[in-house]
Amino acid sequence: MEILAKPFGHEERTGPEMWIDEAIWGHRLHDEQSPWLTLLEFLCVLHAENDQTRALTEVRLNELSYKPQTQLRLRNLLFNNPHMTTVLASDQSDEAMWATWLPLMAENAGGLERPDFAYLRDRFETFQDFASVVSFLQSSAIEGGSNKRWSSKFVFPFGTNALYEDVSVTATGVATDRRFFARTGEILYLMLCRSRRAADLRERLDRRILKVDAPYDGLIRALQGDVQFARQERAGAYLPCASHPTFDRLAEDWIAILDLQIPAYDAIPHIVTMTGLHLILYQLQRSAEVLAQPNPISMVCEIVSPKRSVVRDLSADSFQSNNALPQQALERFIREIVATPEWLAALQSDEPGPNAAELLFKTFDWPDLDDADEAQGQPGELLEELVRRAVVRHKQHVGKVHATWARLIGLSSRRASRRVRYAPTDRLLKTLVVCCVDRRLEFKDFLVLLHDRYGLVIGDQQARSFIDAGAADQEDFSDNARRLEERLASLGLLKRLSDSCAYVENPFQRSAQS
């Protein structure tokens, strides 16, 4: 399994206290950064790198450095503007509304050296027009119902003016915050950089997103005024492999969606969903590589039935088995050091404890050699303590990615059951059709495609291993496939021409099929 060298300057960082999750999956996968926020961070990186004429291009691996936008005036107006409603409700003239609101806004705004919003009077005919634009953009906010602070809320990416990084605004200034922009978007950017279709994808992103003069982006530009940038470059992103099949499939799916004849803002939600699915698969596949598992990742999907079924139990078992893979991989990755010549040499040396501690620090950035209590102990004790601490750290965020993201993209559910299992929602099913079906496709071939490309087990042919092992009957999975057929038909995504002939259709490709 490929693991690239740690990024330049890693030894001087003040980042993670260990380098274990990062070595396997990258720096870093994070459950609190949803698929939507991952895409927004990716677009921030893409836009910044495009301005430097190097979009989706790595000069050297893992040396990404970019300067994102902050757009603090915009987010103050949209998410830190409590006085607007009061002013609108007052029985004042338009001139009086401006005169009342402007000093209140200047006093309330955060993170700005000179909070002057007087330029807005020249850009909107009336205060009511201005308020209507603010209200519309507030309603388009990503995860708008969250209780995040105002500096961690994001407008829909209508265009490049709507792109900005997550920041923390305090009395002492503005600082980058890595809680919701936790670098998962940077990992996504590096994945697409290293895909075989990077050049093709770059052309489509440039044409469909970066250079589109979208009307709604014009409204955002009117509110923001001059673009605001971060003061320092953002660096330190790390992806442990130079190539991977997941990178290529991810790029291919993005291209398929961007090639649809639909507006970019309609394509973006489908891109978010497929990105979440591919990052889940990436985490599971890298885990399987560490564990040297011979079989590809599979997900038994129940198409929800009115009562409990064998497929439901198998789907829950499949979910739990996959959910445990990353931690198993983490523990195996650490314990593999005992078979190395360096570890054996440390055991046979005059000072096995200190030498083992030094080797563990060199490999995993633990223990702190300057901490006598932490670095003291026999080699076996040190190794077990490292495993314990690494598992605790892993469970905080990286270990939650599979379960959290599967729920967010509509891949998993607990509906009508106490156990979580793979049970695709209508939203995910529509995205899979939109992404994978470029012309009318027989239903049975659609099931094969979902299995071969994403490991989704739905029909009896894909579940052959379970049937042959006696875990299920063929009829169980045939009924499961029939329920999917009915679901797709109810969504307008499938037509049955006869008892033995059903076709899946992409609604955005019908004109090309007719």
Side-chain angles (χ1 to χ4, degrees):
M1 185 180 78
E2 182 180 22
I3 298 180
L4 297 173
K6 298 174 185 177
F8 177 76
H10 166 76
E11 291 75 9
E12 291 78 31
R13 81 202 189 295
T14 58
E17 60 186 16
M18 299 176 186
W19 190 261
I20 303 174
D21 288 315
E22 294 78 6
I24 302 172
W25 297 289
H27 186 37
R28 60 185 172 157
L29 296 181
H30 200 270
D31 66 304
E32 291 190 63
Q33 184 167 5
S34 68
W36 263 108
L37 297 183
T38 297
L39 180 71
L40 292 181
E41 186 178 25
F42 164 85
L43 291 174
C44 282
V45 181
L46 177 72
H47 177 48
E49 290 293 272
N50 187 64
D51 281 352
Q52 301 298 319
T53 67
R54 56 184 185 227
L56 289 188
T57 302
E58 276 189 288
V59 179
R60 287 178 294 275
L61 295 177
N62 294 323
E63 291 193 13
L64 173 67
S65 180
Y66 65 100
K67 183 177 289 189
Q69 297 178 163
T70 57
Q71 307 295 70
L72 282 167
R73 285 189 295 272
L74 172 67
R75 60 176 106 184
N76 266 292
L77 291 170
L78 296 183
F79 307 119
N80 190 32
N81 188 358
H83 302 292
M84 177 170 285
T85 302
T86 305
V87 173
L88 283 172
S90 65
D91 187 16
Q92 300 183 81
S93 66
D94 184 72
E95 182 67 26
M97 283 195 235
W98 282 112
T100 302
W101 177 80
L102 282 170
L104 289 173
M105 187 64 203
E107 180 181 352
N108 188 70
L112 299 172
E113 293 181 2
R114 292 183 293 276
D116 182 6
F117 295 91
Y119 65 90
L120 296 169
R121 299 188 65 172
D122 298 329
R123 301 185 179 192
F124 296 92
E125 291 188 9
T126 66
F127 188 84
Q128 184 68 52
D129 290 343
F130 161 62
S132 296
V133 169
V134 170
S135 178
F136 165 72
L137 293 175
Q138 287 173 337
S139 68
S140 75
I142 302 301
E143 302 175 1
S146 71
N147 60 355
K148 296 184 178 76
R149 66 190 175 212
W150 66 268
S151 62
S152 293
K153 292 188 176 183
F154 303 90
V155 70
F156 188 90
F158 291 115
T160 56
N161 288 283
L163 304 176
Y164 48 83
E165 69 168 348
D166 183 23
V167 297
S168 172
V169 178
T170 64
T172 58
V174 179
T176 300
D177 195 294
R178 290 296 185 184
R179 181 176 181 185
F180 302 116
F181 271 28
R183 295 189 183 276
T184 312
E186 295 177 354
I187 284 183
L188 174 60
Y189 180 84
L190 296 180
M191 286 179 170
L192 293 171
C193 280
R194 298 175 192 181
S195 70
R196 296 176 182 174
R197 300 290 303 276
D200 297 331
L201 181 59
R202 182 189 310 117
E203 184 275 327
R204 287 160 174 82
L205 289 170
D206 187 60
R207 171 169 48 86
R208 298 274 273 140
I209 294 179
L210 295 177
K211 289 187 177 177
V212 172
D213 188 16
Y216 294 150
D217 193 48
L219 296 178
I220 293 171
R221 183 169 57 249
L223 290 180
Q224 165 61 28
D226 295 336
V227 174
Q228 293 171 288
F229 292 95
R231 293 184 177 180
Q232 296 180 337
E233 296 263 325
R234 308 301 182 220
Y238 170 82
L239 187 63
C241 42
S243 63
H244 197 276
T246 303
F247 306 167
D248 301 329
R249 288 192 290 266
L250 173 62
E252 289 165 3
D253 283 350
W254 276 42
I255 289 170
I257 294 171
L258 290 170
D259 281 347
L260 296 172
Q261 297 303 307
I262 58 176
Y265 48 78
D266 286 336
I268 285 175
H270 295 300
I271 288 176
V272 169
T273 300
M274 293 309 298
T275 297
L277 177 59
H278 280 289
L279 285 174
I280 289 171
L281 289 170
Y282 167 73
Q283 185 187 38
L284 296 180
Q285 287 165 355
R286 286 285 289 182
S287 301
E289 290 168 15
V290 173
L291 296 168
Q293 290 190 354
N295 298 322
I297 295 298
S298 68
M299 303 176 182
V300 179
C301 295
E302 183 209 11
I303 307 304
V304 178
S305 62
K307 59 184 180 179
R308 181 175 175 178
S309 65
V310 171
V311 176
R312 176 174 297 179
D313 291 337
L314 289 174
S315 178
D317 291 343
S318 175
F319 181 91
Q320 293 301 325
S321 176
N322 286 337
N323 200 50
L325 275 183
Q327 182 176 327
Q328 293 171 7
L330 178 85
E331 295 184 32
R332 170 74 67 84
F333 183 74
I334 296 172
R335 295 186 190 282
E336 283 180 343
I337 197 172
V338 301
T340 63
E342 294 83 359
W343 182 263
L344 296 176
L347 294 183
Q348 297 168 5
S349 65
D350 295 335
E351 296 183 316
N355 289 336
E358 186 174 344
L359 177 60
L360 291 175
F361 176 78
K362 178 181 177 182
T363 308
F364 304 116
D365 283 9
W366 186 92
D368 182 354
L369 299 179
D370 295 328
D371 186 334
D373 292 333
E374 189 173 88
Q376 188 174 14
Q378 294 302 309
E381 296 172 346
L382 289 169
L383 184 64
E384 291 306 314
E385 179 64 11
L386 172 59
V387 170
R388 186 191 69 79
R389 294 194 183 199
V391 168
V392 170
R393 179 173 179 259
H394 173 81
K395 287 180 176 180
Q396 292 174 349
H397 296 294
V398 178
K400 296 179 180 178
V401 167
H402 169 258
T404 302
W405 281 35
R407 175 179 51 83
L408 291 175
I409 67 172
L411 176 61
S412 68
S413 172
R414 191 177 270 145
R415 178 183 171 189
S417 175
R418 288 180 297 177
R419 300 176 68 195
V420 180
R421 82 277 195 198
Y422 295 119
T425 62
D426 289 349
R427 175 170 59 91
L428 176 57
L429 292 174
K430 183 175 182 180
T431 293
L432 289 170
V433 171
V434 165
C435 179
C436 300
V437 180
D438 59 352
R439 59 180 59 84
R440 193 167 63 176
L441 184 66
E442 280 197 58
F443 178 65
K444 62 180 182 180
D445 293 333
F446 179 64
L447 296 180
V448 172
L449 186 152
L450 294 183
H451 177 258
D452 292 348
R453 191 167 183 82
Y454 309 112
L456 306 184
V457 177
I458 297 174
D460 57 282
Q461 293 302 312
Q462 296 75 50
R464 182 53 54 189
S465 61
F466 297 98
I467 296 170
D468 292 344
D473 295 331
Q474 182 170 334
E475 185 178 355
D476 295 322
F477 280 95
S478 296
D479 290 343
N480 197 50
R482 177 182 51 77
R483 289 194 296 272
L484 175 59
E485 184 180 331
E486 293 171 353
R487 284 266 296 276
L488 293 178
S490 69
L491 294 170
L493 303 173
L494 178 143
K495 286 186 178 180
R496 176 164 284 285
L497 303 183
S498 67
D499 289 343
S500 60
C501 188
Y503 289 96
V504 180
E505 292 185 330
N506 185 336
F508 303 119
Q509 298 283 7
R510 283 175 180 163
S511 59
Q513 295 166 8
S514 59

